[in-house]
Amino acid sequence: MSPLSFARHQFPPTIIQHAIWLYLRFTLSYRDVEELLAVRGIEVSYETVRRWVVKFGPAIAGNLRRLRPKPSPRWHLDEMVIRVSGRLMYLWRAVDDEGEVLEVLVQRRRDKAAARKLMRKLLKKHGFAPTQVTTDKLRSYGAVFRDIGLTARHEQGPRTNNRAEVSHQPVRRRERKMQRFKSSGSAQSFVSLHAAVYNTFNLQRHLVSRRTLRTFRAQAVADWQAATAAA
């Protein structure tokens, strides 16, 4: 895990870490984070918060991904429409059957080439092939699976892909809060950072006891602290 260097910054690491956590963890704008810090007597501009997220966010996300356990071999793939600078684009998303975000990819098209790029990134990133893949009825998925020789069971049908469709909701809320994404590059950067933090703090609280929930929350906080530790 790579330690972060907060050298030559006016504010101490704890404040920088907290500002980044607020922005990535909750549905807040940079101005919202500025206000929350101001209430605590910390005067920092929203532009400074933005620079902190841009500078430290990718390293923190990479550290968080390295702390995650191996995902389930049952994957759900889906795509949703987003608007970037007034243009319609597609957000391709892969999650496992427990809601862990495996990959998020912003692409211009919804075709076989885009589906192939998503699958190649998934297989390279995780190092194993799934045993089951659930998708919508887009034919490009089946064509790509045949081309790459994927032997996993392929499921399609009404409501079978609810897991992936529900996983779009946090990104959709952030898209509205940000008043749409400004560019495909910034959209890709944000959804990648958001996915890493979402995986760390996404707790299925309705499935566990209060005691187990406290344990999971403590572990999530510990992982965040480890991922943002200073050199």
Side-chain angles (χ1 to χ4, degrees):
M1 186 179 302
S2 304
L4 305 183
S5 175
F6 297 95
R8 296 186 299 278
H9 282 270
Q10 175 185 354
F11 292 91
T14 52
I15 293 178
I16 299 175
Q17 294 161 357
H18 187 66
I20 297 172
W21 176 74
L22 285 173
Y23 179 72
L24 294 177
R25 174 68 181 92
F26 303 104
T27 309
L28 300 172
S29 67
Y30 293 123
R31 294 179 186 271
D32 291 335
V33 176
E34 177 185 0
E35 289 287 335
L36 290 172
L37 294 178
V39 170
R40 292 162 174 78
I42 303 170
E43 294 296 332
V44 55
S45 71
Y46 70 90
E47 179 61 23
T48 298
V49 176
R50 186 193 68 81
R51 288 198 296 265
W52 288 344
V53 172
V54 171
K55 180 177 180 179
F56 297 109
I60 292 173
N63 287 340
L64 289 174
R65 292 189 191 100
R66 283 187 282 272
L67 291 170
R68 299 300 298 166
K70 185 177 180 180
S72 164
R74 294 179 293 277
W75 296 356
H76 293 253
L77 279 57
D78 195 34
E79 63 287 336
M80 77 174 193
V81 176
I82 60 174
R83 190 174 293 275
V84 179
S85 297
R87 298 181 58 186
L88 294 181
M89 300 189 72
Y90 294 94
L91 183 66
W92 293 72
R93 191 179 186 88
V95 300
D96 69 8
D97 62 339
E98 296 179 347
E100 181 88 0
V101 181
L102 306 176
E103 186 62 68
V104 188
L105 196 59
V106 177
Q107 302 194 81
R108 293 185 178 182
R109 299 186 181 277
R110 184 174 178 259
D111 56 12
K112 182 178 177 181
R116 181 186 293 110
K117 184 175 181 179
L118 176 67
M119 282 304 304
R120 285 180 173 175
K121 287 182 70 69
L122 280 167
L123 295 173
K124 181 178 180 180
K125 180 177 180 179
H126 297 286
F128 69 93
T131 58
Q132 176 179 314
V133 181
T134 303
T135 70
D136 56 21
K137 294 187 177 181
L138 181 66
R139 295 181 178 179
S140 299
Y141 288 117
V144 170
F145 297 162
R146 290 190 294 271
D147 287 351
I148 65 177
L150 186 68
T151 58
R153 178 182 176 185
H154 184 195
E155 288 196 352
Q156 297 172 294
R159 295 181 294 279
T160 59
N161 209 25
N162 282 352
R163 171 63 75 180
E165 293 172 359
V166 169
S167 74
H168 289 310
Q169 294 177 1
V171 174
R172 188 66 82 188
R173 288 194 294 268
R174 292 307 297 258
E175 182 188 23
R176 290 194 296 266
K177 184 67 176 180
M178 298 167 69
Q179 299 179 8
R180 311 296 183 184
F181 297 111
K182 304 303 184 292
S183 69
S184 58
S186 64
Q188 181 64 61
S189 176
F190 173 79
V191 295
S192 296
L193 301 182
H194 182 268
V197 177
Y198 175 82
N199 286 340
T200 301
F201 290 95
N202 179 33
L203 307 175
Q204 303 291 332
R205 59 184 303 166
H206 63 291
L207 300 178
V208 298
S209 66
R210 172 59 61 176
R211 177 178 298 180
T212 303
L213 179 63
R214 287 198 296 267
T215 301
F216 285 170
R217 279 178 170 166
Q219 183 60 52
V221 172
D223 288 346
W224 172 264
Q225 292 172 342
T228 59

